[in-house]
Amino acid sequence: MMSRIEELIERLCPDGVEYKPVKTVYKRLRGTPITAGKMKEIADSSGEIKIFAGGQTMIYAHEKDIPKANITRVPAVLVQSRGTIDFVYYEQSFTFKNEMWAYTSDDRTSVKFLYHVLKANAETFRNAASGMGSMPQISLKVTEEFKVPVPPMEVQEEIVRVLDSFAELESELESELESELEARKRQYAYYRDKLLDFSSRGEIAWIPLGEIVSISTGSKPQDDIANVGKYRFVNAGTSESGFLCDWNTEGDTTTTPSRGQGGIGYVGYEREPFWCGPLCYRMKSKSPSLNDRYFYYALCSLRRSILAYMKEGGTPAVNRSDLIRIPIPVPSLEEQERIVVILDKFDTLVNDISAGLPAEIEARRKQYAYYRDKLLSFKEKVA
C-alpha cells in the first residue's frame, strides 16, 4: 500500500523534482549589529524579542532597548554560522547578531520544509566549517548556493506534517527516557551511598587512602593524541581526551583529576590498560584486603571529601598530600564483593552506551534521522 506522500509524488511529480539554490527560492534576512556587551546590558527575561548570538547563546530583550534593531516578524530559518553550526526554526519576533543570517518565504510550510532539509544536511555544513581556524564557521555562500529539492506544495505540506509529528513524538519519548535516566542515576547514587554507609553496621576499619592505595600522576605522552590508537588517554576533566598507540597504566585502576577546570572531584575507572596523563591521579589497591572496584565505588561516594581539599586559586587542583589523608571504609572482602556486584548492575544500566537507557535514547535519534532523510530524498528532475 502506497503512503500518502508516495501517492502525491506519483501524481504530482512522477518524473522527479527540481533542485534549486537556496538563494533562488528563499528570501535572506539580515540581523542586528549588536555586541556581546550590549546584549548583556539589555537582557531582560520579560522582553518580547529573542536575540540569538553565537553557539547556544540567546537572550530576551525589549525592542525599545535594542539599538538599530532589525526584527524578523515572520517564520524563518536561522543559520547559526559560527561556533555551533546549526539551524533554528522560529515563528515569534526575533533578531540575531549580524554575523548570522536567516531565510523566509511567503509560505510558512515552505519555510518549515527548508528547515527540515537544512537540518538533515547539518553534517555537510559542519564539515564545510572544519579547517576554518579555532572557531568553526561557514560563509554565506555555503548556504546561498546549497541546492534544495523543491517539490509541489502539497508534497511539502505532507512531509512537514509527518516530520513535525514524528519530531514531536521523538522529543516526547526522548524526554521520557532522559527523565527515566535521571531517575535511575539518582537511584544509583542513593543505593551506592546507602551500601557504603557503615555508620550503623558495627566495627568497620577506616583507613587513610595513602596507607592502602598506591597513588601517582601519569606522564605526558611522546606521540600525538588522536582518535586512532587503541589506548585511552585520560587526563584532567571528566571524559576521555583522545587515544594513543601505547599505554603507561594497567587496567582496573581508579582515576581522578589532579588539576583542571571542571574536573576536580570526578572519579573514573579504567578497566583496560590506558595512558594516564600528567594532570591525573591513578590509584590502585596495594593491599589484599581491598578490592579495586570496591575502592572506586567508595571514592565516588566520598566526592565531597575530595572537593573539600580543592585549591581554588588559579587553576583548581588537589594535592596528593591531601588526597592520601581521605579515610576509606574497608569492610570484609566478602562484603566488598557483594557491594560491587550490586553497583555494577546499576553502573551498566546508567552509564554503558551500548546497553540500557542511553542506547535507547540514541536509537530514537537515529530512527528519526533515518525517516527524515528518507522522506527528503527525491529523484532529481532532468531538464
Side-chain angles (χ1 to χ4, degrees):
M1 180 181 295
M2 295 179 67
S3 70
R4 167 69 174 160
I5 294 175
E6 289 173 327
E7 290 177 357
L8 288 172
I9 291 175
E10 181 66 26
R11 176 165 60 85
L12 299 173
C13 47
D15 298 325
V17 303
E18 288 187 87
Y19 278 69
K20 298 180 179 180
V22 168
K23 67 181 181 181
T24 67
V25 184
Y26 297 92
K27 177 184 177 181
R28 177 163 53 89
L29 304 171
R30 292 175 172 80
T32 296
I34 187 170
T35 65
K38 189 63 178 180
M39 285 181 64
K40 186 175 181 179
E41 177 187 326
I42 66 174
D44 188 332
S45 59
S46 67
E48 72 279 8
I49 304 296
K50 192 171 186 177
I51 306 177
F52 291 89
Q56 301 300 317
T57 304
M58 51 75 58
I59 65 164
Y60 283 95
H62 294 288
E63 184 171 353
K64 63 181 177 60
D65 296 329
I66 306 172
K68 299 180 181 179
N70 187 18
I71 309 300
T72 296
R73 307 182 194 278
V74 294
V77 180
L78 173 66
V79 179
Q80 295 179 301
S81 59
R82 191 167 184 266
T84 299
I85 309 301
D86 209 347
F87 305 93
V88 177
Y89 175 80
Y90 205 68
E91 294 188 346
Q92 308 304 317
S93 296
F94 76 103
T95 189
F96 44 92
K97 291 189 71 171
N98 59 358
E99 63 193 26
M100 298 186 282
W101 54 93
Y103 291 105
T104 191
S105 78
D106 294 334
D107 192 294
R108 172 190 173 279
T109 297
S110 180
V111 179
K112 197 64 179 291
F113 180 79
L114 174 66
Y115 164 74
H116 286 301
V117 172
L118 294 179
K119 195 74 173 175
N121 289 278
E123 201 58 36
T124 298
F125 295 102
R126 288 168 190 153
N127 290 337
S130 64
M132 297 295 289
S134 59
M135 182 70 73
Q137 58 184 329
I138 55 174
S139 66
L140 173 62
K141 184 178 180 181
V142 173
T143 55
E144 289 279 275
E145 300 294 338
F146 185 76
K147 289 188 175 182
V148 295
V150 188
M153 283 307 303
E154 283 187 66
V155 175
Q156 292 189 39
E157 288 172 1
E158 184 63 14
I159 288 175
V160 167
R161 184 190 69 79
V162 171
L163 287 179
D164 281 356
S165 297
F166 202 108
E168 183 178 356
L169 176 60
E170 189 268 344
S171 179
E172 289 175 359
L173 289 171
E174 189 170 307
S175 178
E176 290 175 6
L177 288 169
E178 287 177 342
S179 295
E180 176 70 9
L181 181 55
E182 278 303 308
R184 293 295 178 90
K185 285 180 178 178
R186 289 193 297 270
Q187 184 184 36
Y188 166 55
Y190 170 79
Y191 280 110
R192 181 195 65 206
D193 295 345
K194 189 174 181 65
L195 282 168
L196 293 164
D197 180 6
F198 298 100
S199 59
S200 61
R201 286 196 268 170
E203 292 294 327
I204 292 291
W206 286 75
I207 304 175
L209 185 152
E211 293 182 14
I212 200 166
V213 172
S214 64
I215 174 171
S216 63
T217 51
S219 57
K220 184 178 179 180
Q222 299 297 315
D223 298 333
D224 291 335
I225 301 165
N227 291 313
V228 294
K230 176 182 178 181
Y231 303 103
R232 278 161 51 91
F233 173 63
V234 180
N235 207 22
T238 60
S239 62
E240 66 190 35
S241 303
F243 291 85
L244 292 165
C245 296
D246 198 4
W247 60 277
N248 65 359
T249 307
E250 61 184 23
D252 291 317
T253 296
T254 297
T255 67
T256 194
S258 62
R259 61 189 292 112
Q261 296 290 342
I264 301 300
Y266 171 77
V267 180
Y269 189 82
E270 298 300 319
R271 293 184 179 275
E272 303 296 330
F274 68 103
W275 190 285
C276 182
L279 304 180
C280 182
Y281 290 121
R282 49 190 173 186
M283 294 168 280
K284 200 162 181 65
S285 169
K286 60 181 181 182
S287 168
S289 65
L290 182 66
N291 179 301
D292 275 305
R293 186 67 173 167
Y294 165 81
F295 168 69
Y296 158 70
Y297 286 124
L299 195 60
C300 283
S301 73
L302 295 170
R303 181 173 182 271
R304 290 182 181 178
S305 297
I306 300 175
L307 292 173
Y309 287 118
M310 182 172 68
K311 305 295 187 293
E312 295 279 7
T315 302
V318 173
N319 293 334
R320 181 182 182 279
S321 58
D322 289 325
L323 202 59
I324 61 175
R325 295 161 56 190
I326 296 176
I328 303 295
V330 185
S332 67
L333 273 174
E334 182 181 19
E335 176 65 4
Q336 291 180 42
E337 290 166 1
R338 185 185 75 86
I339 290 171
V340 167
V341 168
I342 294 171
L343 293 181
D344 273 353
K345 290 179 181 178
F346 273 109
D347 186 72
T348 297
L349 176 64
V350 173
N351 297 317
D352 191 346
I353 197 64
S354 65
L357 293 170
E360 181 67 15
I361 291 172
E362 184 62 23
R364 297 291 183 185
R365 291 171 179 164
K366 288 181 178 179
Q367 184 183 40
Y368 169 67
Y370 170 80
Y371 283 110
R372 179 195 63 201
D373 295 348
K374 191 174 180 65
L375 285 175
L376 294 171
S377 297
F378 298 93
K379 179 174 71 175
E380 186 170 2
K381 186 175 182 180
V382 179

